[in-house]
Amino acid sequence: MLPDTTITAVEPFILHVPVTGNMIQDSTHTLTHWGVVGTRVRTAGGITGYGFSGTHAHLASDRLITSCISDSYAPLLIGQDACDVQRLWSALYNCAPIQWVGRSGITHLAIAAVDTALWDIKAKASEQPLWKLLGGATCSRLEAYNTDGGWLSLDSQTVADNCRRLVESEGYRGVKIKIGTDDPRADLKRIEAVRTAIGEHATLAVDCNGRWNLTTVLSVAPRLPDFDVLWVEEPLFYDDLPGHVRLAQAMLTPIALGEQLYTLDSFRDFIAAGAVHWVQPDMTRLAGITEWLRVADLALAYHLPVVPHVGDMGQVHVHLCYAHPAATRLEYIPWIKDCFEEPIVVESGYYVLPQLPGAGTTFRPDAVERYGMEL
Ligand code: MG
Protein backbone atom coordinates (compact mmCIF):
# COMPACT_ATOMS: atom_id res chain seq x y z
CA MET A 1 0.00 0.00 0.00
CA LEU A 2 1.28 3.45 -0.93
CA PRO A 3 2.04 5.79 1.97
CA ASP A 4 -0.28 8.72 2.67
CA THR A 5 1.54 11.71 1.12
CA THR A 6 -0.98 14.36 2.18
CA ILE A 7 0.99 17.45 3.17
CA THR A 8 0.69 18.29 6.86
CA ALA A 9 3.44 20.87 7.41
CA VAL A 10 5.75 23.19 5.47
CA GLU A 11 8.79 24.24 7.52
CA PRO A 12 11.30 26.64 5.92
CA PHE A 13 14.97 26.81 6.96
CA ILE A 14 18.09 28.84 6.21
CA LEU A 15 21.62 27.40 6.40
CA HIS A 16 24.82 29.38 5.79
CA VAL A 17 27.71 27.06 4.95
CA PRO A 18 31.33 28.33 4.65
CA VAL A 19 32.94 28.20 1.19
CA THR A 20 36.38 26.73 0.47
CA GLY A 21 39.09 28.80 2.16
CA ASN A 22 36.39 30.95 3.84
CA MET A 23 36.24 33.41 0.93
CA ILE A 24 36.05 33.23 -2.87
CA GLN A 25 35.59 35.81 -5.62
CA ASP A 26 34.53 35.91 -9.21
CA SER A 27 34.31 39.05 -11.34
CA THR A 28 31.04 40.15 -9.80
CA HIS A 29 30.69 38.46 -6.39
CA THR A 30 32.58 37.95 -3.14
CA LEU A 31 31.34 35.07 -0.98
CA THR A 32 32.14 33.76 2.47
CA HIS A 33 29.17 31.36 2.75
CA TRP A 34 26.73 29.55 0.49
CA GLY A 35 23.09 30.00 1.46
CA VAL A 36 21.00 26.84 1.54
CA VAL A 37 17.46 28.23 1.76
CA GLY A 38 14.58 25.84 1.60
CA THR A 39 11.89 23.85 3.28
CA ARG A 40 10.94 20.55 4.86
CA VAL A 41 7.56 19.26 3.74
CA ARG A 42 5.99 16.74 6.11
CA THR A 43 3.31 14.26 5.09
CA ALA A 44 0.64 12.27 6.94
CA GLY A 45 2.32 8.92 6.22
CA GLY A 46 5.61 10.01 7.76
CA ILE A 47 7.70 10.79 4.67
CA THR A 48 9.51 14.13 4.89
CA GLY A 49 10.72 15.86 1.73
CA TYR A 50 13.56 18.38 1.58
CA GLY A 51 14.13 21.03 -1.04
CA PHE A 52 16.28 24.13 -1.25
CA SER A 53 17.62 26.89 -3.41
CA GLY A 54 21.13 28.34 -3.39
CA THR A 55 21.94 31.93 -2.42
CA HIS A 56 24.88 34.13 -1.52
CA ALA A 57 24.00 33.84 2.16
CA HIS A 58 22.53 37.30 2.58
CA LEU A 59 20.16 36.81 5.50
CA ALA A 60 17.72 39.61 4.59
CA SER A 61 17.13 38.26 1.08
CA ASP A 62 17.13 34.66 2.30
CA ARG A 63 14.28 35.60 4.64
CA LEU A 64 12.27 36.96 1.70
CA ILE A 65 12.43 33.46 0.20
CA THR A 66 11.42 31.67 3.41
CA SER A 67 8.57 34.12 4.07
CA CYS A 68 7.33 33.58 0.51
CA ILE A 69 7.29 29.83 1.26
CA SER A 70 5.63 30.03 4.67
CA ASP A 71 3.22 32.92 4.10
CA SER A 72 2.25 32.52 0.44
CA TYR A 73 2.85 28.93 -0.66
CA ALA A 74 2.30 26.84 2.50
CA PRO A 75 -1.46 27.64 2.66
CA LEU A 76 -1.79 26.36 -0.93
CA LEU A 77 0.04 23.14 -0.05
CA ILE A 78 -1.38 21.97 3.28
CA GLY A 79 -3.89 19.16 2.76
CA GLN A 80 -2.78 18.49 -0.85
CA ASP A 81 -1.17 15.28 -2.11
CA ALA A 82 2.57 15.94 -2.39
CA CYS A 83 2.82 13.45 -5.26
CA ASP A 84 0.67 15.69 -7.51
CA VAL A 85 3.82 17.60 -8.33
CA GLN A 86 2.87 19.08 -11.69
CA ARG A 87 -0.52 20.28 -10.45
CA LEU A 88 0.96 21.86 -7.30
CA TRP A 89 3.76 23.45 -9.34
CA SER A 90 1.15 25.11 -11.59
CA ALA A 91 -0.86 26.26 -8.56
CA LEU A 92 2.19 27.99 -7.09
CA TYR A 93 3.55 29.30 -10.40
CA ASN A 94 0.20 30.76 -11.43
CA CYS A 95 -0.86 32.06 -8.01
CA ALA A 96 -2.01 35.44 -9.31
CA PRO A 97 -1.28 37.80 -6.39
CA ILE A 98 2.26 36.44 -5.97
CA GLN A 99 2.95 36.24 -9.69
CA TRP A 100 2.03 39.92 -9.85
CA VAL A 101 5.00 40.80 -7.63
CA GLY A 102 7.45 38.40 -9.24
CA ARG A 103 7.50 35.98 -12.14
CA SER A 104 11.19 35.27 -11.40
CA GLY A 105 13.76 35.84 -8.66
CA ILE A 106 12.50 35.36 -5.09
CA THR A 107 9.28 33.61 -6.10
CA HIS A 108 11.17 31.23 -8.36
CA LEU A 109 13.74 30.37 -5.72
CA ALA A 110 10.87 29.68 -3.31
CA ILE A 111 9.03 27.47 -5.80
CA ALA A 112 12.31 25.67 -6.54
CA ALA A 113 12.63 24.69 -2.88
CA VAL A 114 9.03 23.49 -2.61
CA ASP A 115 9.05 21.67 -5.96
CA THR A 116 12.26 19.83 -5.05
CA ALA A 117 10.78 18.75 -1.71
CA LEU A 118 7.71 17.40 -3.53
CA TRP A 119 9.87 15.41 -5.98
CA ASP A 120 11.87 14.16 -2.99
CA ILE A 121 8.65 12.88 -1.39
CA LYS A 122 7.47 11.32 -4.64
CA ALA A 123 10.78 9.48 -5.08
CA LYS A 124 10.84 8.34 -1.45
CA ALA A 125 7.23 7.15 -1.69
CA SER A 126 8.19 5.02 -4.68
CA GLU A 127 11.36 3.88 -2.87
CA GLN A 128 13.58 5.00 -5.74
CA PRO A 129 16.32 7.57 -6.23
CA LEU A 130 15.01 10.48 -8.32
CA TRP A 131 17.03 9.54 -11.41
CA LYS A 132 15.25 6.19 -11.49
CA LEU A 133 11.81 7.73 -10.97
CA LEU A 134 12.52 10.02 -13.93
CA GLY A 135 13.07 7.06 -16.24
CA GLY A 136 16.45 5.66 -15.27
CA ALA A 137 20.03 6.53 -16.16
CA THR A 138 20.72 7.50 -19.75
CA CYS A 139 24.51 7.15 -19.45
CA SER A 140 26.84 4.75 -17.67
CA ARG A 141 28.95 7.53 -16.16
CA LEU A 142 28.64 11.29 -15.78
CA GLU A 143 31.78 13.39 -16.11
CA ALA A 144 32.47 16.00 -13.42
CA TYR A 145 34.41 19.16 -14.13
CA ASN A 146 35.88 21.11 -11.23
CA THR A 147 35.34 24.83 -10.65
CA ASP A 148 36.70 25.06 -7.10
CA GLY A 149 40.36 25.60 -8.03
CA GLY A 150 39.93 28.61 -10.29
CA TRP A 151 38.54 31.51 -8.27
CA LEU A 152 39.50 35.06 -9.11
CA SER A 153 40.56 35.68 -5.51
CA LEU A 154 43.53 33.36 -6.14
CA ASP A 155 46.64 34.45 -8.03
CA SER A 156 47.38 32.87 -11.41
CA GLN A 157 50.10 30.58 -10.11
CA THR A 158 47.84 29.18 -7.39
CA VAL A 159 45.03 28.64 -9.91
CA ALA A 160 47.43 26.88 -12.29
CA ASP A 161 48.78 24.70 -9.45
CA ASN A 162 45.23 23.87 -8.29
CA CYS A 163 44.15 22.89 -11.79
CA ARG A 164 47.27 20.76 -12.34
CA ARG A 165 46.53 18.90 -9.09
CA LEU A 166 42.87 18.39 -10.00
CA VAL A 167 43.81 16.90 -13.37
CA GLU A 168 47.00 14.99 -12.51
CA SER A 169 46.21 13.76 -8.99
CA GLU A 170 42.42 13.78 -8.65
CA GLY A 171 41.46 12.49 -12.10
CA TYR A 172 39.35 15.40 -13.39
CA ARG A 173 39.15 15.64 -17.16
CA GLY A 174 38.10 19.26 -17.08
CA VAL A 175 38.33 22.47 -15.04
CA LYS A 176 36.75 25.91 -15.14
CA ILE A 177 38.43 29.14 -14.09
CA LYS A 178 37.11 32.62 -13.44
CA ILE A 179 38.11 35.58 -15.61
CA GLY A 180 36.45 38.92 -16.38
CA THR A 181 38.74 41.43 -14.66
CA ASP A 182 39.44 45.00 -15.74
CA ASP A 183 42.66 43.74 -17.37
CA PRO A 184 41.75 41.28 -20.15
CA ARG A 185 45.42 40.77 -21.08
CA ALA A 186 46.11 39.51 -17.55
CA ASP A 187 43.11 37.19 -17.94
CA LEU A 188 44.62 35.78 -21.14
CA LYS A 189 47.87 35.14 -19.26
CA ARG A 190 45.88 33.32 -16.55
CA ILE A 191 44.22 31.15 -19.19
CA GLU A 192 47.59 30.41 -20.77
CA ALA A 193 49.12 29.45 -17.40
CA VAL A 194 46.30 27.00 -16.69
CA ARG A 195 46.41 25.45 -20.16
CA THR A 196 50.16 24.93 -19.73
CA ALA A 197 49.60 23.40 -16.27
CA ILE A 198 46.87 20.93 -17.25
CA GLY A 199 48.30 19.86 -20.61
CA GLU A 200 46.49 19.53 -23.91
CA HIS A 201 44.00 16.78 -23.08
CA ALA A 202 41.98 18.20 -20.18
CA THR A 203 39.16 20.60 -21.03
CA LEU A 204 39.36 24.22 -19.91
CA ALA A 205 36.30 26.49 -19.61
CA VAL A 206 36.40 30.17 -18.59
CA ASP A 207 33.70 32.20 -16.83
CA CYS A 208 33.24 36.01 -17.01
CA ASN A 209 30.15 36.09 -14.75
CA GLY A 210 28.52 38.68 -17.00
CA ARG A 211 31.16 41.31 -16.40
CA TRP A 212 32.54 42.20 -19.82
CA ASN A 213 30.92 44.12 -22.67
CA LEU A 214 30.82 43.11 -26.32
CA THR A 215 33.84 45.23 -27.22
CA THR A 216 36.03 43.61 -24.56
CA VAL A 217 35.00 40.07 -25.40
CA LEU A 218 35.61 40.68 -29.10
CA SER A 219 39.09 41.96 -28.28
CA VAL A 220 40.10 38.71 -26.50
CA ALA A 221 38.08 36.27 -28.64
CA PRO A 222 40.73 35.75 -31.35
CA ARG A 223 43.23 34.49 -28.73
CA LEU A 224 40.95 31.91 -27.06
CA PRO A 225 41.41 29.16 -29.67
CA ASP A 226 45.17 29.28 -28.92
CA PHE A 227 44.32 27.77 -25.52
CA ASP A 228 41.58 25.43 -26.73
CA VAL A 229 38.92 27.03 -24.50
CA LEU A 230 35.86 24.78 -24.34
CA TRP A 231 33.43 27.60 -23.64
CA VAL A 232 33.20 31.20 -22.48
CA GLU A 233 30.58 31.39 -19.76
CA GLU A 234 28.38 34.48 -19.30
CA PRO A 235 30.62 36.69 -21.40
CA LEU A 236 28.09 39.57 -21.35
CA PHE A 237 25.40 40.91 -19.04
CA TYR A 238 22.90 38.13 -18.35
CA ASP A 239 19.87 39.61 -20.11
CA ASP A 240 21.69 41.01 -23.16
CA LEU A 241 20.12 38.77 -25.77
CA PRO A 242 21.09 40.82 -28.86
CA GLY A 243 24.66 41.16 -27.59
CA HIS A 244 25.00 37.40 -27.18
CA VAL A 245 23.57 36.84 -30.67
CA ARG A 246 26.14 39.20 -32.18
CA LEU A 247 28.93 37.58 -30.16
CA ALA A 248 27.90 34.06 -31.15
CA GLN A 249 28.13 35.09 -34.79
CA ALA A 250 31.55 36.73 -34.35
CA MET A 251 33.41 34.41 -31.95
CA LEU A 252 34.74 30.91 -32.67
CA THR A 253 34.65 29.80 -29.01
CA PRO A 254 31.20 28.53 -27.92
CA ILE A 255 29.09 30.47 -25.41
CA ALA A 256 27.73 28.93 -22.18
CA LEU A 257 25.02 30.60 -20.11
CA GLY A 258 21.85 30.01 -18.14
CA GLU A 259 22.63 30.41 -14.45
CA GLN A 260 20.93 33.83 -14.47
CA LEU A 261 17.97 32.83 -16.64
CA TYR A 262 14.96 32.17 -14.44
CA THR A 263 12.32 30.90 -16.84
CA LEU A 264 11.64 28.45 -19.63
CA ASP A 265 10.66 31.45 -21.75
CA SER A 266 14.09 33.08 -21.29
CA PHE A 267 15.83 29.86 -22.34
CA ARG A 268 13.55 29.61 -25.38
CA ASP A 269 14.51 33.13 -26.45
CA PHE A 270 18.28 32.60 -26.07
CA ILE A 271 18.25 29.14 -27.67
CA ALA A 272 15.98 30.06 -30.58
CA ALA A 273 18.11 33.15 -31.31
CA GLY A 274 21.32 31.09 -31.47
CA ALA A 275 22.80 33.01 -28.51
CA VAL A 276 23.97 29.96 -26.50
CA HIS A 277 25.82 26.74 -27.30
CA TRP A 278 26.20 25.09 -23.86
CA VAL A 279 22.91 25.35 -21.95
CA GLN A 280 23.30 25.85 -18.17
CA PRO A 281 19.91 25.60 -16.43
CA ASP A 282 19.97 25.63 -12.63
CA MET A 283 16.99 24.00 -10.90
CA THR A 284 17.46 26.31 -7.90
CA ARG A 285 17.02 29.41 -10.11
CA LEU A 286 14.39 28.01 -12.40
CA ALA A 287 11.21 27.03 -10.57
CA GLY A 288 12.67 23.70 -9.51
CA ILE A 289 13.06 20.27 -11.05
CA THR A 290 9.77 20.60 -12.94
CA GLU A 291 10.88 23.63 -14.96
CA TRP A 292 14.48 22.32 -15.29
CA LEU A 293 13.19 19.22 -17.08
CA ARG A 294 11.28 21.41 -19.52
CA VAL A 295 14.40 23.47 -20.28
CA ALA A 296 16.47 20.32 -20.75
CA ASP A 297 13.84 18.97 -23.16
CA LEU A 298 13.98 22.29 -25.04
CA ALA A 299 17.78 22.03 -25.33
CA LEU A 300 17.44 18.44 -26.52
CA ALA A 301 15.07 19.56 -29.27
CA TYR A 302 17.82 21.92 -30.50
CA HIS A 303 20.51 19.22 -30.04
CA LEU A 304 22.39 21.44 -27.59
CA PRO A 305 24.32 19.97 -24.61
CA VAL A 306 23.08 20.70 -21.08
CA VAL A 307 25.74 21.43 -18.44
CA PRO A 308 23.88 22.71 -15.35
CA HIS A 309 25.05 25.45 -13.05
CA VAL A 310 25.06 23.95 -9.56
CA GLY A 311 23.15 26.24 -7.22
CA ASP A 312 22.46 23.02 -5.32
CA MET A 313 26.18 22.10 -5.47
CA GLY A 314 25.21 19.06 -7.51
CA GLN A 315 23.02 17.22 -4.97
CA VAL A 316 19.93 17.21 -7.19
CA HIS A 317 21.56 17.91 -10.55
CA VAL A 318 23.46 14.62 -10.38
CA HIS A 319 20.06 12.85 -10.48
CA LEU A 320 18.80 15.08 -13.30
CA CYS A 321 21.94 14.69 -15.40
CA TYR A 322 22.02 10.92 -15.11
CA ALA A 323 18.34 10.85 -16.12
CA HIS A 324 18.30 13.36 -18.97
CA PRO A 325 19.80 12.56 -22.38
CA ALA A 326 20.78 16.19 -23.10
CA ALA A 327 23.11 16.41 -20.07
CA THR A 328 26.75 15.78 -20.93
CA ARG A 329 28.76 16.77 -17.85
CA LEU A 330 28.23 18.40 -14.46
CA GLU A 331 30.07 21.06 -12.49
CA TYR A 332 31.61 20.06 -9.14
CA ILE A 333 31.90 22.41 -6.15
CA PRO A 334 32.10 20.65 -2.74
CA TRP A 335 30.96 23.37 -0.33
CA ILE A 336 27.78 21.90 1.16
CA LYS A 337 28.17 18.17 0.68
CA ASP A 338 28.75 17.38 4.34
CA CYS A 339 25.19 18.58 5.07
CA PHE A 340 23.58 15.56 3.42
CA GLU A 341 22.81 11.94 4.21
CA GLU A 342 24.01 10.94 0.75
CA PRO A 343 26.53 13.58 -0.36
CA ILE A 344 27.71 13.81 -3.95
CA VAL A 345 30.84 11.77 -4.66
CA VAL A 346 33.24 12.10 -7.58
CA GLU A 347 35.62 9.21 -8.27
CA SER A 348 38.32 9.42 -10.92
CA GLY A 349 36.54 12.39 -12.48
CA TYR A 350 33.06 10.86 -12.65
CA TYR A 351 29.99 11.33 -10.46
CA VAL A 352 28.95 8.25 -8.51
CA LEU A 353 25.31 7.32 -9.19
CA PRO A 354 23.20 8.02 -6.03
CA GLN A 355 21.43 5.05 -4.49
CA LEU A 356 19.17 6.27 -1.67
CA PRO A 357 15.47 6.89 -2.37
CA GLY A 358 14.68 10.58 -2.89
CA ALA A 359 16.16 13.60 -4.63
CA GLY A 360 19.47 13.64 -2.73
CA THR A 361 18.28 16.47 -0.49
CA THR A 362 17.85 14.80 2.90
CA PHE A 363 19.94 16.65 5.47
CA ARG A 364 22.04 15.07 8.15
CA PRO A 365 20.55 15.72 11.60
CA ASP A 366 23.49 17.93 12.59
CA ALA A 367 23.40 20.21 9.50
CA VAL A 368 20.83 22.61 10.96
CA GLU A 369 22.67 22.65 14.30
CA ARG A 370 25.96 23.52 12.58
CA TYR A 371 24.82 25.97 9.93
CA GLY A 372 21.22 26.99 10.78
CA MET A 373 20.24 30.68 10.90
CA GLU A 374 17.23 32.27 12.55
CA LEU A 375 14.28 32.69 10.23
MG1 MG B 1 29.16 30.70 -13.92
Side-chain angles (χ1 to χ4, degrees):
M1 192 174 130
L2 290 172
D4 183 350
T5 49
T6 302
I7 297 170
T8 55
V10 177
E11 302 169 348
F13 56 78
I14 299 172
L15 311 183
H16 286 180
V17 184
V19 303
T20 304
N22 295 317
M23 191 277 282
I24 61 96
Q25 283 179 319
D26 60 34
S27 67
T28 44
H29 311 103
T30 299
L31 296 187
T32 60
H33 293 73
W34 191 250
V36 181
V37 183
T39 188
R40 277 181 218 86
V41 175
R42 299 193 191 275
T43 61
I47 293 176
T48 299
Y50 298 81
F52 60 93
S53 185
T55 74
H56 287 185
H58 179 254
L59 196 53
S61 46
D62 291 348
R63 286 172 173 155
L64 294 174
I65 299 168
T66 53
S67 73
C68 184
I69 293 170
S70 57
D71 299 341
S72 299
Y73 293 149
L76 302 174
L77 294 164
I78 302 291
Q80 302 293 319
D81 183 350
C83 287
D84 291 343
V85 181
Q86 300 277 357
R87 183 178 62 79
L88 293 179
W89 186 91
S90 295
L92 303 189
Y93 195 86
N94 297 312
C95 178
I98 308 162
Q99 198 183 59
W100 185 263
V101 298
R103 286 197 302 278
S104 62
I106 291 162
T107 54
H108 260 216
L109 272 59
I111 295 176
V114 171
D115 177 76
T116 304
L118 300 183
W119 278 104
D120 187 39
I121 291 166
K122 194 174 179 72
K124 286 171 175 168
S126 70
E127 300 182 340
Q128 298 178 93
L130 179 64
W131 59 265
K132 202 155 202 170
L133 178 69
L134 293 174
T138 59
C139 59
S140 58
R141 54 187 190 175
L142 174 66
E143 186 179 324
Y145 76 85
N146 196 306
T147 301
D148 204 36
W151 302 109
L152 214 48
S153 40
L154 306 172
D155 62 57
S156 289
Q157 187 60 52
T158 304
V159 169
D161 290 345
N162 284 347
C163 292
R164 181 188 291 110
R165 172 179 49 77
L166 290 168
V167 170
E168 289 183 0
S169 305
E170 298 189 27
Y172 287 94
R173 285 158 183 76
V175 292
K176 183 166 80 188
I177 66 167
K178 300 292 184 177
I179 60 169
T181 70
D182 292 333
D183 184 356
R185 286 187 297 183
D187 284 344
L188 284 169
K189 288 201 172 91
R190 176 178 283 246
I191 297 169
E192 183 174 18
V194 172
R195 173 50 75 196
T196 302
I198 64 176
E200 62 181 320
H201 297 300
T203 60
L204 170 58
V206 301
D207 188 355
C208 290
N209 287 96
R211 177 78 190 286
W212 280 345
N213 57 33
L214 186 60
T215 308
T216 304
V217 184
L218 288 176
S219 74
V220 304
R223 293 290 316 282
L224 298 176
D226 296 345
F227 312 119
D228 194 15
V229 171
L230 184 65
W231 72 64
V232 182
E233 186 167 319
E234 293 193 318
L236 306 173
F237 185 71
Y238 325 114
D239 298 324
D240 183 4
L241 175 56
H244 283 94
V245 172
R246 289 167 68 190
L247 185 61
Q249 291 166 349
M251 182 168 69
L252 287 175
T253 306
I255 294 170
L257 58 81
E259 68 181 84
Q260 300 266 355
L261 299 184
Y262 288 87
T263 64
L264 174 64
D265 298 76
S266 296
F267 276 96
R268 177 206 57 214
D269 291 346
F270 273 77
I271 289 174
V276 53
H277 305 103
W278 294 88
V279 182
Q280 298 186 300
D282 184 334
M283 45 70 59
T284 71
R285 288 280 179 89
L286 289 159
I289 292 166
T290 298
E291 194 167 37
W292 189 98
L293 291 168
R294 294 172 188 178
V295 170
D297 285 346
L298 171 70
L300 185 67
Y302 279 83
H303 299 277
L304 292 173
V306 167
V307 286
H309 174 262
V310 289
D312 66 328
M313 301 293 132
Q315 284 296 138
V316 180
H317 280 111
V318 66
H319 290 259
L320 302 180
C321 286
Y322 264 112
H324 202 284
T328 61
R329 66 189 74 200
L330 180 60
E331 182 170 32
Y332 179 81
I333 305 175
W335 298 338
I336 64 172
K337 65 181 185 174
D338 70 343
C339 292
F340 297 96
E341 273 192 4
E342 189 182 32
I344 49 166
V345 176
V346 170
E347 284 178 1
S348 302
Y350 293 97
Y351 270 94
V352 173
L353 191 63
Q355 295 301 320
L356 291 182
T361 50
T362 303
F363 286 88
R364 288 164 50 103
D366 62 347
V368 174
E369 250 167 67
R370 293 170 68 189
Y371 305 119
M373 309 296 289
E374 259 186 63
L375 292 178

